[in-house]
Amino acid sequence: MKKLLSILGATALVVSAPLSVASCKKKVIHNIDDEFDYQALKNELMDKASEVFYRNLNEDFGKCKNISNDEAKEIFTFISIDNLKNHEEDPELNNPDSQIFKSISNDVNSIVNFNKLNEDITEEIINQLNYRPLLQGIGNPFKSYELTNIAIKTQSEVVSLSFDYVANLEMVIDGKGEIQNETIAYKWTFNIFEKKDIAESIKALNENIRQEISNSANDFIYLQDSGNLKTNAQDIVDKKVIGNQVIEIIKKVNSENSNLKLVTDNHKFVVNQKLTQDGSIASTKINYGLEFQDDWSIYQEDSDGWFPQDYSYPKWWEELMGPVLKQEKGANEAFVSKITEPGQQWIDHQLPQTIKDKINKNSELVVSEAINHYNLAENIKSSDFQKRIQANNYDFEIDEVKDYKTIAVYGAEFSNSQVEIISSSQKNIVELDDFFVPIKQNTTFANTKKLYEEFLRASIEFQQSYLLNQAEGEIQYKNGEYVSWENWEKKHHYYVMDVKGDLEDHLVQGGDGKTYSYNEIIPQSINLKINQESDKNKAFIESSNFAVGKKSRFQSFTLLGIFGHPPDRSKFQITETMFVNPSEIVTYDYKAPEFRTYFFSSGLKFNSSKTYFSFGKREDFICSESVSNSDKTFAAKLFFNFEL
C-alpha cells in the first residue's frame, strides 16, 4: 500500500502509464453565486473608486493648494483670510447646520468638476463588466459627497484651511442583493497667503520639483528579481534609495531659493500598490498532453458502477516529464532547457501579435516571451499608473531597446515635505505638494530569458517538494481510535467531504499544536512549505496556490474536505499529517485542481492565467456522489502532504 500511495502522491498530477477515469453516478448542481467572491471584487472596486476619486480631486483642488488672498476672493465666495483667520477654535466649523460650515462646503464643492468625475466613474467603473455584480440595481456607486474634520491654522503670512473630502458609496455585497455603505476620504489643505509673491514662490517651487522628477522619471530604478509585488513595494520604501533620490531633487531645486528653507525630516515615501503594473502575459496555457477518448460519456458505466476513461500521453511528453517526476539527476535542467526552446510544445504563452512583432523587430535582444518589457508597456496602457503619468505630464516611457531588463513598474508618492518662509519675522511653515514618483523594476539577470529560466527551475523544485510526497502517518479520532492510511483508502475510496455551510468554519488540530479552520489549511500548508525553501528559491515561489483555470467563476478554493466520513465529523481532528483536497464544481462541469506557481503575485488575483508554471491537472481522478440530502461527497485523488 505504501507503494500505491507513493505513486498516487508522487504522480497524482501525471503518470506515464495509461489510466482510467473514475466518475460516479450522480451529478451535483452547485450554486455559483454561493461561491462568488464578493469581498475580493469589492476590494478591487474600492481601489479603483479611490483612485478615480483622488485623481479628479487632485486636479480640481490642486489649483487652490497655494494661492494668494486676492486669488481666493476671485475663486470663492466665502473662503479668504479675513473670513477664516478668527475661527481656529470655532466649534461651529464642523456643525453641518452652521453658516460657516455651509459656506466653506459650498465653496469647496463649487470647484469640483462633477461632470468630469462622473464621466470617469462611468467609463472606469459603471461600464466595466467585472463590477456588474456589485452594482446591480445601484448604477453609480458614488451617492453623495461631504466635508468633515474642517480645521483652520493661522500664521503671520498664511492661513491654512484643511478638511477631509468624503465620498459615500453603495454596493451589493452578496448574492442576495444586500447593500453595504462605504466611504472614501482624502485630506486636503488650501494655503492662502497674504502676499502674492510668497504664494507664487511656493507654486514655482512645487512646479520645478515636479518638472525635475519628470526629467528623471526613467531613472528611478529598483533592482530585484522577485515578482512578489507587495513585498517589493515595501522593500523599495525600506531601502530608501529612491526616496533619497527624490530628497536630493527637492534640495537641488530649492538650493537657489533664498526665501524658503526646506524641511524634509517628516517626509513620507510610500509605494501605492494600486498603481503597480507587471510584465507578465495575460494568458498562459499549459499543454498537458492528455489524449482522451472522443466518445467517452459519463453515462457509460461498468459493472462496478464506475465510468472508465482511457487516455495516454504522447511520446514527447513522457520523455520530457518522466525523469522530472522521478526526480532523476539533471532532469530539471533538461526540462527547463527543453520548454524554453523556440517552438516548444509545453507552454503556450499566447502572445498578442503586436508583442510577437516587437520581439521579431528587436531580434538582437534576448527576452522571455513570458516576462518582458513589451508585455509591460502593453499592460501599462490605460492603467491607473499611466493616468498618473499623464496627469503629471511626466516624460516617462518603456523604451523598446533600452528597457529590455525592466519587468514591472511601481507608483510611489512622496509627501509631507515642508518649507519655512524665512523672509518673515515669524516662523511660517507650509507643506509642499505630494509628488508622484514612477519606478522601474529591473532584473539583475543578463536578460529576462535567464530570469524566466531561473523561475522555472525554482518552481519545479518547489512543486516537486510540495506535491510529490509519500503517504505517512495515521488518522486519529478524538475517541483514541487510529486508522491507517491503508485501511482508510480501502474503506472510503478517497471520497472528499463537502464542508460547505455550517462545517465551513469547523476547526481542525494540526500536528504543530495550532488550530486551523478548513479554509486556512491550504494556504497554511503552502506557506509552511515555502518557508522551508532556500532563500534562492523563495523569491520565485511565494505566489503559489491551487487554481481551476480562468474559465471558472470561482476565485479560490474555499471548499476543503477530508477523505471519507469519520463516525462524528464534529470531533474529527488531524494529527501530524493529513491529506486534504480542494474540490470545486461548476454546474455539472467538474474541475480538477491545478497547483500553480505564478511569477508575479498579481497572478493569484481572481485565479488568473498570467505567467505561471504547473505540472498539470488530473481530470481522470474526478468523482462525485450524492450520499444523502444533507451530505455530499466529492473526490479527486490529488494527494499532497500538508505537514501541519
Side-chain angles (χ1 to χ4, degrees), residues 554-584:
F554 290 97
Q555 308 308 319
S556 63
F557 283 101
T558 55
L559 297 186
L560 307 182
I562 54 176
F563 288 92
H565 290 262
D568 184 348
R569 290 181 296 178
S570 64
K571 295 182 180 179
F572 186 82
Q573 70 176 27
I574 291 178
T575 63
E576 295 191 5
T577 305
M578 180 64 198
F579 291 110
V580 183
N581 177 72
S583 179
E584 298 282 21

Side-chain angles (χ1 to χ4, degrees), residues 292-352:
F292 285 90
Q293 296 172 208
D294 292 334
D295 60 348
W296 178 79
S297 169
I298 193 172
Y299 300 106
Q300 296 174 355
E301 62 180 300
D302 61 18
S303 58
D304 295 324
W306 298 92
F307 301 83
Q309 158 65 19
D310 293 329
Y311 71 90
S312 60
Y313 295 95
K315 184 178 179 181
W316 67 264
W317 189 92
E318 293 184 18
E319 293 175 350
L320 193 62
M321 279 302 298
V324 173
L325 293 175
K326 296 174 185 177
Q327 302 185 59
E328 294 178 1
K329 185 176 181 179
N332 292 359
E333 291 78 5
F335 180 60
V336 170
S337 176
K338 188 71 175 178
I339 66 176
T340 53
E341 289 179 355
Q344 53 81 28
Q345 303 176 73
W346 180 262
I347 302 178
D348 180 2
H349 296 301
Q350 300 188 316
L351 291 174

Side-chain angles (χ1 to χ4, degrees), residues 285-543:
K285 181 181 179 182
I286 305 293
N287 296 317
Y288 307 116
L290 295 182
E291 297 178 346
F292 285 90
Q293 296 172 208
D294 292 334
D295 60 348
W296 178 79
S297 169
I298 193 172
Y299 300 106
Q300 296 174 355
E301 62 180 300
D302 61 18
S303 58
D304 295 324
W306 298 92
F307 301 83
Q309 158 65 19
D310 293 329
Y311 71 90
S312 60
Y313 295 95
K315 184 178 179 181
W316 67 264
W317 189 92
E318 293 184 18
E319 293 175 350
L320 193 62
M321 279 302 298
V324 173
L325 293 175
K326 296 174 185 177
Q327 302 185 59
E328 294 178 1
K329 185 176 181 179
N332 292 359
E333 291 78 5
F335 180 60
V336 170
S337 176
K338 188 71 175 178
I339 66 176
T340 53
E341 289 179 355
Q344 53 81 28
Q345 303 176 73
W346 180 262
I347 302 178
D348 180 2
H349 296 301
Q350 300 188 316
L351 291 174
Q353 188 59 47
T354 53
I355 303 298
K356 293 179 181 179
D357 292 342
K358 289 179 180 179
I359 292 176
N360 293 331
K361 174 186 173 184
N362 302 299
S363 57
E364 74 281 2
L365 297 178
V366 179
V367 298
S368 162
E369 289 186 347
I371 309 165
N372 60 61
H373 61 306
Y374 305 123
N375 296 333
L376 176 61
E378 196 67 25
N379 294 340
I380 288 175
K381 290 180 179 179
S382 301
S383 68
D384 288 329
F385 177 90
Q386 182 64 21
K387 288 182 173 66
R388 287 286 190 103
I389 292 292
Q390 294 169 344
N392 286 277
N393 295 316
Y394 281 175
D395 185 18
F396 177 91
E397 67 172 344
I398 301 297
D399 189 273
E400 283 193 11
V401 177
K402 295 179 182 179
D403 290 320
Y404 69 98
K405 298 176 72 171
T406 303
I407 62 175
V409 293
Y410 302 81
E413 294 162 340
F414 191 96
S415 61
N416 278 32
S417 281
Q418 300 173 321
V419 288
E420 180 183 347
I421 305 171
I422 56 180
S423 60
S424 172
S425 59
Q426 299 182 33
K427 193 172 186 178
N428 288 256
I429 294 179
V430 295
E431 282 190 7
L432 294 176
D433 288 353
D434 296 348
F435 301 104
F436 172 70
V437 183
I439 301 169
K440 295 178 181 179
Q441 178 185 347
N442 284 5
T443 177
T444 65
F445 286 88
N447 51 63
T448 55
K449 185 175 184 294
K450 291 290 186 183
L451 172 69
Y452 182 57
E453 290 172 352
E454 185 67 8
F455 161 70
L456 290 175
R457 179 202 61 75
S459 298
I460 291 167
E461 290 183 5
F462 173 63
Q463 293 199 16
Q464 286 172 326
S465 174
Y466 183 63
L467 295 171
L468 309 187
N469 290 287
Q470 293 187 0
E472 298 177 353
E474 296 177 311
I475 300 171
Q476 180 191 20
Y477 302 138
K478 285 194 173 181
N479 62 10
E481 177 186 355
Y482 284 84
V483 179
S484 68
W485 287 117
E486 182 174 359
N487 291 335
W488 185 260
E489 182 270 339
K490 289 179 179 178
K491 182 178 180 180
H492 300 291
H493 304 288
Y494 299 107
Y495 286 139
V496 182
M497 182 174 62
D498 177 12
V499 294
K500 246 189 84 178
D502 57 356
L503 282 178
E504 191 167 308
D505 296 322
H506 180 64
L507 298 181
V508 292
Q509 185 73 31
D512 59 359
K514 295 181 180 179
T515 299
Y516 305 100
S517 64
Y518 277 123
N519 57 12
E520 293 175 322
I521 294 177
I522 281 185
Q524 179 67 16
S525 71
I526 295 173
N527 290 334
L528 287 172
K529 201 65 180 177
I530 288 174
N531 291 332
Q532 295 172 9
E533 291 289 310
S534 65
D535 290 338
K536 181 180 180 181
N537 282 1
K538 197 176 294 184
F540 296 107
I541 63 173
E542 291 175 308
S543 302

